[in-house]
């Protein structure tokens, strides 16, 4: 396989690199999980949109460039290479949008996608509840049909809602048939957070950032066009969303290749004092990041040839989440006592620890791989 860029891909890479180099914020923006930082990140997102870099793989009518999947991977690689800001629009453009393209009506796509790309509507994910974490089918939030008004009344609570304190809209599952089996009777709703009856309560994380939120719904009315996909068929839409969350859409290889390069650079600053065992960990981490890159290229090839990755996204999630912890653990070991100070590596380590938990715990992902990919018995 020829892994080098084609002439068109090389030109795309050069254009992306030049723009990002010229326009990335310097100094870097504060955390997008704080109120001040989030507002600055939204300005950056709108700058990306105005220049045509917000959603490069989308159709032009929605603000994209109609870039290929390979070109999207190239952009992601150049984005992280440039040290550009985190994407606070990621839950919309990387998670909800693929589901909208697949299950949304033409009206929903035309109404929602341009505003999403332009960072006018900012989406958070309403999955977890107090009694439903990785067991998504255990959700209790409900939606009752309101025939006279032609819509639904939503009630319940979502928690651990990333950037929910700052976003304008939420997508999530609500139970529309309480008598149906666990994985049925669920419907996927799109909800404006300024709707009457919605209460958003932000709360701080361990690192002090306040972007998390509890979101409460008290008979919140939404019209029928707030349903994505079919009523009572929300599980299928949600599984498409989780496939994006666990797969290459949310965590492209460019993110981890950049971290691996930073780790190699950190190791070189240690000179002759570098412990041989740590040196080996650095090399192993770099090799793993490159292996993830090659793995995703194979997935892209499958997708271009019409093969859906399906449950293989669980393999992605296992690999990138454990790789992220490994790279940051090695960095802290290289830093020694200085690694306990607040800084990019310590912050990155704290966030990496969440990787094996969010998007479905790695224990759940191993069960999926065992049963659905390897065909092993349930017991």
């Amino acid at each position: 396989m020829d892994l080098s860029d084609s002439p068109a891909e090389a030109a795309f890479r050069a254009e992306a690199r030049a723009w990002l180099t010229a326009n990335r914020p310097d100094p870097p923006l504060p955390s997008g999980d704080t109120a001040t930082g989030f507002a600055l990140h939204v300005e950056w997102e709108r700058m990306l949109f105005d220049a045509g870099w917000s959603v490069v793989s989308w159709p032009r009518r929605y603000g994209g460039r109609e870039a290929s999947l390979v070109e999207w991977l190239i952009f992601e690689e150049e984005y992280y290479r440039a040290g550009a800001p985190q994407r606070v629009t990621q839950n919309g453009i990387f998670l909800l949008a693929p589901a909208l393209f697949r299950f949304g009506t033409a009206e929903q796509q035309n109404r929602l996608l341009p505003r999403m790309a332009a960072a006018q509507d900012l989406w958070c994910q309403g999955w977890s509840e107090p009694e439903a974490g990785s067991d998504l089918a255990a959700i209790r939030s409900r939606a009752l049909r309101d025939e006279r008004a032609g819509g639904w009344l939503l009630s319940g609570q979502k928690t651990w809602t990333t950037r929910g304190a700052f976003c304008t809209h939420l997508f999530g599952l609500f139970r529309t048939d309480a008598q149906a089996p666990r994985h049925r009777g669920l419907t996927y709703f799109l909800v404006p957070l300024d709707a009457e009856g919605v209460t958003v309560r932000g709360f701080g994380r361990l690192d002090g950032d306040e972007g998390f939120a509890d979101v409460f719904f008290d008979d919140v009315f939404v019209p029928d066009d707030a349903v994505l996909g079919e009523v009572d068929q929300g599980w299928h839409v949600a599984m498409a969303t989780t496939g994006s969350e666990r797969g290459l859409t949310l965590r492209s290889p460019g993110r981890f290749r950049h971290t691996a390069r930073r780790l190699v650079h950190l190791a070189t600053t240690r000179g002759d004092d570098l412990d041989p065992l740590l040196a080996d960990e650095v090399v192993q981490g770099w090799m793993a990041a490159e292996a993830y890159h090659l793995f995703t290229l194979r997935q892209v090839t499958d997708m271009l040839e019409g093969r859906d990755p399906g449950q293989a996204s669980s393999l992605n999630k296992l690999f990138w989440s454990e790789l992220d912890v490994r790279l940051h653990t090695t960095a802290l070991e290289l830093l020694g006592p200085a690694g306990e100070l607040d800084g990019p590596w310590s912050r990155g380590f704290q966030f990496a620890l969440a990787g094996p938990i969010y998007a479905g715990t790695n224990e759940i992902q191993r069960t999926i791989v065992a049963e659905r990919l390897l065909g092993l018995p349930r017991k």
Side-chain angles (χ1 to χ4, degrees):
M1 176 181 289
D2 184 2
L3 297 179
S4 59
D5 293 343
S6 69
E9 290 164 355
F12 180 86
R13 184 187 295 276
E15 183 185 0
R17 181 176 294 185
W19 190 89
L20 289 165
T21 300
N23 292 280
R24 67 187 174 195
D26 188 19
L29 300 181
S31 169
D33 291 317
T34 63
T36 299
F38 186 84
L40 293 173
H41 278 73
V42 171
E43 291 181 12
W44 165 252
E45 292 286 350
R46 292 173 179 167
M47 186 175 175
L48 281 173
F49 174 77
D50 290 340
W53 294 111
S54 173
V55 286
V56 295
S57 63
W58 289 17
R60 295 187 187 278
R61 66 182 179 276
Y62 300 135
R65 290 177 174 241
E66 299 184 0
S68 68
L69 277 173
V70 173
E71 288 172 330
W72 175 77
L73 285 173
I74 289 172
F75 176 74
E76 286 286 292
E77 186 171 320
E78 293 303 321
Y79 192 89
Y80 285 104
R81 183 191 297 274
Q86 66 186 120
R87 301 296 303 272
V88 297
T89 56
Q90 65 180 22
N91 281 349
I93 64 176
F94 292 153
L95 301 186
L96 175 57
L100 269 170
F101 280 117
R102 182 172 173 182
F103 298 99
T105 65
E107 187 279 329
Q108 286 175 324
Q109 293 170 358
N110 293 333
R111 171 167 51 91
L112 299 174
L113 290 170
R115 294 184 59 82
M116 186 188 301
Q120 294 172 324
D121 293 342
L122 302 158
W123 292 84
C124 58
Q125 184 182 60
W127 274 178
S128 296
E129 299 182 3
E131 302 297 328
S134 290
D135 186 8
L136 184 59
I139 67 167
R140 297 182 179 179
S141 292
R142 69 184 186 274
L144 298 179
R145 182 72 184 149
D146 187 337
E147 291 289 356
R148 289 189 301 175
W152 300 83
L153 295 174
L154 309 181
S155 299
Q157 176 186 355
K158 302 295 182 179
T159 193
W160 310 116
T161 310
T162 303
R163 303 188 190 95
F166 315 130
C167 287
T168 62
H169 291 70
L170 174 144
F171 60 90
L173 285 178
F174 291 78
R175 193 165 293 282
T176 43
D177 184 350
Q179 305 305 314
R182 281 165 32 95
H183 294 85
R184 301 178 185 177
L186 299 169
T187 301
Y188 197 116
F189 284 93
L190 309 174
V191 188
L193 290 179
D194 63 355
E196 184 177 355
V198 174
T199 301
V200 179
R201 295 180 184 171
F203 60 90
R205 304 187 315 203
L206 179 65
D207 61 8
D209 290 352
E210 68 270 25
F212 273 174
D214 284 316
V215 183
F216 300 88
F217 304 86
D218 184 10
D219 287 337
V220 177
F221 176 79
V222 294
D224 285 330
D225 63 7
V227 174
L228 180 59
E230 300 294 328
V231 173
D232 292 339
Q233 299 299 312
W235 185 260
H236 300 295
V237 186
M239 289 304 97
T241 304
T242 58
S244 298
E245 185 178 23
R246 295 166 185 169
L248 62 88
T249 306
L250 183 63
R251 293 291 180 256
S252 68
R255 175 191 183 104
F256 305 104
R257 296 180 85 192
H258 175 63
T259 303
R261 286 192 294 267
R262 290 173 52 223
L263 181 62
V264 170
H265 175 73
L266 178 63
T268 61
T269 65
R270 294 298 178 265
D272 295 337
D273 294 332
L274 181 60
D275 185 298
L277 293 177
L278 279 180
D280 184 65
E281 279 297 309
V282 171
V283 173
Q284 292 294 327
W286 181 87
M287 291 171 62
E290 292 300 305
Y292 181 58
H293 173 62
L294 296 174
F295 176 72
T296 56
L297 288 179
R298 188 180 72 174
Q299 281 192 324
V300 166
T301 300
D302 286 342
M303 294 167 69
L304 292 175
E305 294 179 355
R307 294 185 292 274
D308 189 338
Q311 302 300 333
S313 62
S314 291
L315 290 173
N316 294 64
K317 201 272 175 170
L318 284 166
F319 200 102
W320 62 249
S321 61
E322 296 186 356
L323 170 62
D324 206 19
V325 174
R326 178 178 185 175
L327 293 172
H328 284 87
T329 298
T330 303
L332 294 188
E333 290 176 350
L334 285 168
L335 289 168
E340 297 183 15
L341 302 176
D342 187 35
W345 284 113
S346 60
R347 282 272 176 147
F349 175 73
Q350 291 174 45
F351 186 81
L353 291 178
I357 301 173
Y358 67 79
T361 64
N362 283 10
E363 289 78 8
I364 296 291
Q365 304 316 307
R366 288 188 173 89
T367 298
I368 292 172
V369 170
E371 294 178 357
R372 303 181 192 177
L373 293 181
L374 300 179
L376 297 178
R378 289 179 175 269
K379 295 184 180 179

